[in-house]
Amino acid sequence: AERQLQNLQLSFSRFAPDAIIERIISDGDKVKGERVEVSVLFADLVGFTALSERVEPDVLVGILNGYFERMSDAITSNRGHVSTFIGDGILAFFGALAPNPWQSDDAVHAALAMREGLDAYNLELRRQGLPALRVGIGLHRGTGIAGLVGSRDLMEFTIVGRTVNVAARVQDLTRRLDADVIVTAALREKLAPRFVLRPLPDSEVK
């Protein structure tokens, strides 16, 4: 029975972080929502819709899966949690599962690791005669409501609230401001001084 439980946890860890699986095993799907201080990373591929119209479906899926695998590794290796894939977008959280005073540093380290990982992946794609990918990443810090959200048939652990929305809107600014990684002032204030940042013009988001 213990071995079966371990196998079940391993299988479900593909869909939710271990900490949430343990809570579900203990409390069922009645995991309480809670307000948390979190750093949010939202990443989206630039021009991927146009690319999807030029590449065969099986090739496109292979490109996307390779991209997601490398970006997820960069996030999880920096103590982040990938919440969901939205089309070709990635929503990830830092500090959502347990208090983390270094969550903003971790989020920026993850973004830089994603940049490095994408550069290496693009070399692979070019060797195969495939187009390179470009990504825009938005980072924001604030409070949100964390919990299991969904219907009776399908649920996921996620965070909802203004903080997540702002991270998504900041990611949209990467195209207009010609920067692949943008952090908000709220996140910058919590960063260690060793990070070198370039100031950008004040910008309104939706």
Side-chain angles (χ1 to χ4, degrees):
E2 183 178 351
R3 186 166 59 250
Q4 287 179 334
L5 182 59
Q6 289 175 344
N7 291 338
L8 189 63
Q9 278 188 265
L10 183 62
S11 297
F12 274 103
S13 67
R14 296 181 62 196
F15 303 96
D18 289 338
I20 299 303
I21 298 300
E22 291 172 6
R23 288 190 219 173
I24 293 173
I25 291 173
S26 173
D27 304 332
D29 61 3
K30 305 300 182 186
V31 176
K32 293 181 179 179
E34 55 183 337
R35 191 176 300 276
V36 294
E37 178 84 7
V38 66
S39 295
V40 181
L41 181 154
F42 198 95
D44 197 47
L45 287 173
V46 178
F48 193 75
T49 301
L51 175 64
S52 67
E53 296 170 352
R54 307 195 315 263
V55 178
E56 290 297 320
D58 58 334
V59 175
L60 187 76
V61 169
I63 292 173
L64 202 54
N65 286 340
Y67 164 75
F68 281 147
E69 182 174 346
R70 287 159 177 80
M71 299 303 100
S72 297
D73 287 346
I75 291 166
T76 56
S77 64
N78 286 284
R79 295 187 291 188
H81 158 57
V82 177
S83 173
T84 189
F85 301 120
I86 309 168
D88 57 284
I90 302 172
L91 175 61
F93 303 121
F94 298 79
L97 303 176
N100 176 5
W102 306 281
Q103 59 174 267
S104 294
D105 286 15
D106 289 340
V108 173
H109 278 303
L112 297 176
M114 291 168 70
R115 175 194 282 168
E116 185 176 342
L118 185 60
D119 286 343
Y121 186 42
N122 279 335
L123 290 176
E124 293 181 29
L125 293 176
R126 289 190 183 98
R127 282 196 292 267
Q128 300 172 44
L130 297 171
L133 303 177
R134 290 176 54 216
V135 69
I137 301 172
L139 298 164
H140 182 50
R141 177 166 174 160
T143 58
I145 305 301
L148 285 174
V149 176
S151 68
R152 183 174 59 246
D153 301 319
L154 179 64
M155 304 190 81
E156 68 176 7
F157 176 80
T158 192
I159 294 178
V160 296
R162 183 184 299 272
T163 300
V164 179
N165 294 340
V166 170
R169 299 296 184 257
V170 170
Q171 183 280 322
D172 287 339
L173 291 176
T174 59
R175 294 157 174 78
R176 193 201 318 166
L177 300 177
D178 192 28
D180 60 342
V181 179
I182 297 180
V183 306
T184 63
L187 189 136
R188 181 197 61 195
E189 290 170 0
K190 302 292 186 178
L191 282 178
R194 65 179 178 274
F195 290 100
V196 179
L197 296 95
R198 173 170 61 91
L200 294 171
D202 289 346
S203 301
E204 285 192 8
V205 296
K206 294 181 187 177

